[in-house]
Amino acid sequence: MSDDSETADGGSEPAAPGDDLAWETTDTRIDYSCPGFDIRMDDVRLPDETESDFHYVDEPAAVVVLPLTPDGDVVVIDEWRQAVGRTNRGLPAGGTEPDDDDDYAAAARRELAEETGHEAEAVEPLVTVEPANGIANSVHHYFVARGCEPSADQNLDFNESIRPTTVGYDDLERAVLAGEVRDARTVLGVLYYELAGE
Amino acid sequence: MSDDSETADGGSEPAAPGDDLAWETTDTRIDYSCPGFDIRMDDVRLPDETESDFHYVDEPAAVVVLPLTPDGDVVVIDEWRQAVGRTNRGLPAGGTEPDDDDDYAAAARRELAEETGHEAEAVEPLVTVEPANGIANSVHHYFVARGCEPSADQNLDFNESIRPTTVGYDDLERAVLAGEVRDARTVLGVLYYELAGE
């Protein structure tokens, strides 16, 4: 309504009150399920009163970990990604579980241990983003794990094809900036740490 | 097999030949369709010979545009995102169409015009990433659009709730680095441009 509903800097999220772009959700249901996620279908009313529906991936929040060793190297995983038909080198990550009770730092430690066999001295939140909010409700909580040492046993699900390895941080950043890393999760984690991490 | 299958720097993609993490795809089909995307189901054979299947989102490649005005501001859009139930401030983007013939720069110009009503003097590729390769075959081609001026008519699909606006580049970068921007597409585009753009 009034000008003070605008944020001062204009760069962050738009103000929510009186949002004339908002859709009204009149009903919702799971329309399809598969082992990795569900598809949710919402009945919606658009701003112009049109009735429509919208389908999107419904999955639990996930954690993504940038694991740094005492030497400043990064623990990454080589992992088969069936959706894109190739082995991806990237940051360890995984979905949260009901028992996590939104303790994302604990989930980050668990995924780090399960996927790489490493334990961290400290785990700190980096940033939280929605990787694909046009088609999914996914939320990724990024963490920096410091002082990572190989001390846990790797513990994979039956269909995870993962090999941990260690790369130099500068090498990984150079590969990201050369456009050689296609995995957005890894690109975002490295760039965010480079610019906003301490 | 031999050590020379490793890349020299270790930071980029792992070597493909003799990949012992790879799955074999024995059959594939569309298992579900909705207006935004399909779900593809692959029958697969894992490295240990286990037979299984894998489901993932199947959608066309998309373009993401970082549109800069002659004054160095950024043209962004406020857009309702039903999957996360909020209005998102972010970079214009959209799926490619069969007629694009993989001309992603042309697709970037089209999406910029349709979503923001702006035309660019020049469009340059920035980076190509997979936003969610654990659950989707999506590929996002990022472009920097320079010299953007309001000269085209906005032309939205019936269910697009979008309002274009202009923000200062420094304000947008500050919001990204303060963790105020949840849209990973925008975070990645701004950070990549900041570190790798000219």
Side-chain angles (χ1 to χ4, degrees), chain A residues 6-15 19-25 31-37 39-44 46-48 50-57 59 76 78-84 86-89 127-141 158-163 165-168 171-185 187-188 190-192 194-196, chain B residues 6-15 19-25 31-37 39-44 46-48 50-57 59 76 78-84 86-89 127-141 158-163 165-168 171-185 187-188 190-192 194-196:
Chain A
E6 287 292 323
T7 55
D9 65 25
S12 62
E13 301 301 335
D19 187 346
D20 61 358
L21 297 172
W23 298 2
E24 181 186 351
T25 304
D31 197 45
Y32 172 87
S33 287
C34 64
F37 51 83
I39 301 295
R40 182 170 289 280
M41 174 180 169
D42 291 350
D43 291 329
V44 297
L46 307 184
D48 69 357
T50 304
E51 308 271 347
S52 187
D53 50 52
F54 189 82
H55 304 68
Y56 54 96
V57 173
E59 66 166 4
V76 294
D78 291 343
E79 178 179 19
W80 181 256
R81 288 306 207 177
Q82 177 66 18
V84 292
R86 65 177 185 79
T87 296
N88 182 68
R89 174 160 292 179
V127 67
T128 295
V129 298
E130 298 153 356
N133 60 23
I135 59 164
N137 66 2
S138 319
V139 176
H140 286 184
H141 300 277
F158 85 99
N159 67 346
E160 289 185 308
S161 299
I162 293 179
R163 186 192 305 116
T165 188
T166 301
V167 299
D171 290 335
L172 182 58
E173 189 201 0
R174 186 164 54 233
V176 165
L177 294 179
E180 295 167 10
V181 178
R182 283 175 75 89
D183 175 35
R185 188 172 84 186
V187 173
L188 194 153
V190 170
L191 295 181
Y192 206 95
E194 180 64 23
L195 281 170
Chain B
E6 288 289 324
T7 55
D9 65 24
S12 63
E13 301 301 335
D19 187 344
D20 60 359
L21 298 172
W23 299 1
E24 182 187 351
T25 303
D31 197 46
Y32 172 86
S33 287
C34 63
F37 51 84
I39 301 295
R40 181 170 290 280
M41 173 180 169
D42 291 350
D43 292 329
V44 295
L46 307 184
D48 69 357
T50 304
E51 308 271 347
S52 187
D53 50 53
F54 188 83
H55 305 69
Y56 54 96
V57 173
E59 64 165 5
V76 295
D78 291 342
E79 177 179 21
W80 180 257
R81 288 305 207 178
Q82 178 65 20
V84 291
R86 64 177 185 80
T87 296
N88 181 70
R89 175 160 292 177
V127 67
T128 295
V129 298
E130 297 153 356
N133 61 22
I135 59 164
N137 66 2
S138 318
V139 177
H140 286 184
H141 300 278
F158 85 100
N159 66 347
E160 289 185 308
S161 298
I162 293 178
R163 184 193 306 117
T165 189
T166 301
V167 299
D171 290 335
L172 182 58
E173 190 202 2
R174 185 164 55 230
V176 164
L177 295 179
E180 295 167 10
V181 178
R182 283 175 74 90
D183 175 36
R185 187 173 86 187
V187 173
L188 194 154
V190 169
L191 295 181
Y192 206 95
E194 180 65 23
L195 281 169

